[in-house]
């Protein structure tokens, strides 16, 4: 009786023991599977699928199994032949790594992506190369993921025929790091996303924005480079954002900015470089933002204030060789400029305490003339402009009298 009971328990344990993790191989020939979709269909939880070197002409590869891990090697290429998506995924605890995906269908009615994630959790997309992408990664209603070390580019033909490289919608707690994105509509786009991290990404030569986000609170942006994008970077309708150690460079155009802040509240912007942009920062209707230890170098305008911005503080920033350091409309509104370094400052420091003894007025009368009559910019370097700027500095009439840096620094801030 005891022996029979032992045998019964032993057999039951075998029946309920978890299946051993497998690695399923996919190859162009001489393998059990030559189709990625067929390998996915046969896979079980915790299996890995190794896609060997070769070109696989597949599209709309659908994954809805948890704990599945797909990976390739150099030369593993999926050619979607401009037919819909590359991958469509609705799963948890999965990864796709070390693949090249190319030729995603362009559509004016559907957002076809190389990899589309919907309601995905605990995922990783790493070391993936996308070529001729419409959308790159389209991630919706997902959380707890990693998007790492990917290289994404589109055809770059026009804004209408291009999508975004990394697009997050209603997604949370995702880390986007070390990606290279270019020739897309927007490099990185976020809408209704919170508690995400964007670090060390290079977004350049995109047809609209290098970074574009709206209605996305509590996100961090650090160590990124946004350069040579048609409209720069736009940040809108969001709260509690942190941006530091980023570079905003060579974003030129009549409607281009290094950084546009539209109705942003409670943010910290520090240790960033704004160089060679039409406008370094434009702030519109934004409140309680601290700008600290940033460099504004060789911009058309370093900073433009549009009405409705309150309690913004500029502290220990470097304003270096900009055509205009500041353009300002409306009242001072509790905004302050203090302890900044201004390359145009011509005051003195008799007591040698490192602060100028004469307050600095960063708003020039000529900036008002240019705003009202853009053609007057041709007079920028003329003696006449120097005279009217000097007279306005001595007796302010058109510029806000109390908009001054009372303690301008005599030496550049080192950070």
């Amino acid at each position: 009786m005891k022996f029979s009971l032992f045998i019964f328990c032993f057999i039951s344990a075998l029946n309920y023991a978890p299946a051993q993790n497998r690695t399923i191989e996919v190859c162009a020939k001489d393998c059990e599977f030559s189709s990625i979709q067929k390998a996915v269909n046969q896979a079980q939880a915790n299996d890995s699928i190794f896609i060997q070197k070769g070109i696989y002409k597949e599209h709309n590869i659908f994954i809805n199994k948890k704990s599945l891990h797909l990976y390739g090697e150099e030369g593993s290429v999926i050619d979607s032949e401009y037919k819909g998506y590359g991958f469509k995924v609705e799963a948890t605890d999965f990864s796709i790594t070390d693949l090249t995906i190319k030729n995603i269908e362009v559509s004016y009615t559907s957002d076809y992506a190389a990899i589309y994630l919907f309601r995905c959790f605990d995922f990783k997309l790493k070391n993936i190369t996308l070529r001729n992408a419409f959308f790159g990664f389209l991630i919706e209603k997902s959380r707890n993921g990693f998007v790492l070390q990917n290289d994404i580019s589109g055809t770059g033909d026009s804004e209408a025929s291009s999508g975004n490289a990394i697009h997050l919608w209603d997604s949370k707690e995702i880390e986007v790091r070390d990606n290279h994105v270019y020739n897309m509509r927007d490099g990185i786009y976020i809408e209704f996303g919170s508690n995400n991290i964007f670090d060390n990404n290079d977004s350049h030569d995109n047809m609209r924005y290098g970074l574009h986000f709206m209605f996305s609170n509590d996100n961090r942006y650090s160590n990124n480079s946004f350069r040579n994008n048609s409209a720069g970077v736009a940040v809108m309708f969001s709260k509690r954002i942190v941006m530091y150690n980023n570079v905003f460079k060579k974003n030129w155009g009549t409607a281009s900015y290094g950084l546009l802040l539209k109705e942003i509240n409670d943010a910290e912007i520090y240790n960033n470089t704004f160089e060679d942009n039409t406008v370094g920062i434009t702030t519109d209707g934004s409140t309680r933002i601290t700008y600290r230890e940033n460099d504004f170098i060789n911009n058309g305008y370093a900073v433009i204030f549009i009405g409705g911005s309150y309690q913004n503080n500029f502290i220990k920033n470097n304003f270096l060789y900009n055509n205009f350091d500041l353009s300002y409309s409306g009242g001072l509104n509790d905004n302050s400029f203090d302890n900044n370094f201004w390359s145009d400052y011509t005051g003195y420091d008799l007591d040698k305490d490192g602060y100028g003894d004469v307050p600095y007025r960063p708003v020039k009368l000529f900036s008002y003339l240019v705003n009202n009559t853009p053609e007057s910019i041709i007079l920028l370097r003329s003696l006449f402009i120097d005279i009217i700027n000097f007279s306005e500095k001595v007796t302010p009439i058109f510029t806000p009298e109390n908009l001054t840096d009372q303690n301008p620094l005599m030496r550049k801030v080192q950070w």
Side-chain angles (χ1 to χ4, degrees):
M1 181 70 178
K2 291 181 179 179
F3 179 75
S4 299
L5 181 61
F6 171 78
I7 294 297
F8 174 79
C9 293
F10 178 75
I11 293 173
S12 298
L14 289 178
N15 288 336
Y16 287 98
Q20 185 177 3
N21 298 351
R22 299 179 300 166
T23 297
I24 300 172
E25 294 192 4
V26 179
C27 63
K29 59 181 180 178
D30 300 328
C31 281
E32 182 180 358
F33 296 100
S34 59
S35 163
I36 299 169
Q37 183 67 74
K38 289 181 179 179
V40 168
N41 294 343
Q42 292 297 315
Q44 299 176 10
N46 297 308
D47 282 351
S48 296
I49 298 176
F50 172 46
I51 303 168
Q52 293 186 13
K53 179 179 180 180
I55 298 177
Y56 302 85
K57 294 188 176 183
E58 297 187 52
H59 61 281
N60 294 336
I61 301 168
F62 183 57
I63 302 173
N64 63 348
K65 299 178 179 181
K66 70 177 184 178
S67 304
L68 202 60
H69 306 284
L70 282 71
Y71 66 99
E73 61 183 342
E74 186 174 356
S76 301
V77 179
I78 298 169
D79 184 354
S80 293
E81 300 183 289
Y82 301 103
K83 298 175 182 178
Y85 299 88
F87 286 89
K88 296 180 70 175
V89 185
E90 298 180 23
T92 62
D93 183 31
F94 73 90
S95 64
I96 301 175
T97 63
D98 303 301
L99 292 174
T100 294
I101 306 171
K102 66 179 184 179
N103 301 334
I104 303 303
E105 181 178 352
V106 174
S107 172
Y108 298 100
T109 57
S110 298
D111 294 338
Y112 292 121
I115 298 179
Y116 170 54
L117 308 184
F118 182 72
R119 296 189 185 278
C120 293
F121 307 94
D122 304 311
F123 63 87
K124 178 169 67 175
L125 305 176
K126 182 178 179 182
N127 197 29
I128 299 170
T129 298
L130 305 183
R131 293 291 177 263
N132 295 332
F134 181 43
F135 280 75
F137 302 147
L138 178 55
I139 302 172
E140 297 183 346
K141 291 184 174 295
S142 300
R143 64 187 304 167
N144 295 329
F146 295 89
V147 180
L148 309 172
Q149 300 172 17
N150 303 291
D151 189 292
I152 304 173
S153 67
T155 58
D157 291 335
S158 69
E159 225 180 272
S161 62
S162 297
N164 305 322
I166 300 172
H167 184 122
L168 275 61
W169 187 82
D170 194 17
S171 296
K172 303 176 181 179
E173 297 168 1
I174 296 173
E175 293 192 20
V176 180
R177 297 182 183 271
D178 304 315
N179 299 285
H180 181 208
V181 299
Y182 53 101
N183 290 341
M184 303 293 289
R185 181 173 61 198
D186 292 347
I188 300 172
Y189 180 93
I190 314 100
E191 191 170 4
F192 303 108
S194 62
N195 296 298
N196 300 299
I197 295 173
F198 302 85
D199 183 72
N200 201 40
N201 301 289
D202 184 11
S203 179
H204 65 91
D205 294 289
N206 296 292
M207 281 168 285
R208 193 168 64 175
Y209 299 110
L211 168 68
H212 185 194
F213 68 86
M214 299 185 289
F215 311 107
S216 297
N217 304 328
D218 302 295
N219 293 307
R220 190 187 87 196
Y221 306 85
S222 56
N223 305 301
N224 302 291
S225 174
F226 305 108
R227 53 193 170 85
N228 202 35
N229 299 293
S230 293
V233 170
V235 180
M236 304 178 181
F237 314 111
S238 302
K239 301 175 182 178
R240 298 180 300 277
I241 65 170
V242 177
M243 308 184 82
Y244 65 89
N245 287 347
N246 302 288
V247 174
F248 304 81
K249 189 171 184 178
K250 292 187 181 298
N251 301 293
W252 285 103
T254 54
S256 184
Y257 328 87
L259 175 61
L260 168 64
L261 301 171
K262 171 67 173 175
E263 297 190 33
I264 302 298
N265 298 324
D266 303 299
E268 292 185 68
I269 299 175
Y270 62 93
N271 294 158
N272 301 286
T273 299
F274 301 87
E275 184 173 5
D276 291 329
N277 303 289
T278 304
V279 181
I281 294 178
T282 294
T283 177
D284 180 3
S286 297
T287 300
R288 295 184 301 277
I289 300 178
T290 298
Y291 304 84
R292 173 169 48 87
E293 295 179 350
N294 301 288
D295 284 344
F296 298 89
I297 307 169
N298 288 324
N299 300 286
Y301 288 86
V303 178
I304 292 180
F305 262 84
I306 301 175
S309 296
Y310 294 84
Q311 300 177 37
N312 296 282
N313 301 309
F314 284 77
I315 305 167
K316 293 188 176 179
N317 300 283
N318 292 312
F319 291 84
L320 305 171
Y321 321 115
N322 305 288
N323 288 332
F324 302 104
D325 290 326
L326 180 62
S327 175
Y328 202 94
S329 62
L332 191 57
N333 297 338
D334 294 324
N335 300 306
S336 67
F337 296 81
D338 196 40
N339 293 168
N340 299 287
F341 177 79
W342 311 86
S343 59
D344 283 352
Y345 181 63
T346 57
Y348 45 82
D349 179 20
L350 296 179
D351 57 6
K352 305 299 182 184
D353 64 351
Y355 300 97
D357 296 337
V358 179
Y360 178 70
R361 297 188 179 279
V363 180
K364 298 177 180 178
L365 176 58
F366 186 46
S367 69
Y368 280 84
L369 297 179
V370 172
N371 286 339
N372 293 323
T373 310
E375 295 80 3
S376 64
I377 192 67
I378 64 172
L379 301 173
L380 177 62
R381 305 299 178 191
S382 71
L383 177 60
F384 170 72
I385 297 304
D386 291 338
I387 292 171
I388 65 171
N389 282 333
F390 178 76
S391 63
E392 180 69 14
K393 183 187 300 185
V394 174
T395 309
I397 298 175
F398 298 99
T399 60
E401 184 177 0
N402 54 351
L403 204 168
T404 61
D405 188 334
Q406 293 289 329
N407 301 287
L409 296 174
M410 298 302 294
R411 287 187 173 86
K412 180 181 172 183
V413 177
Q414 301 296 327
W415 51 268

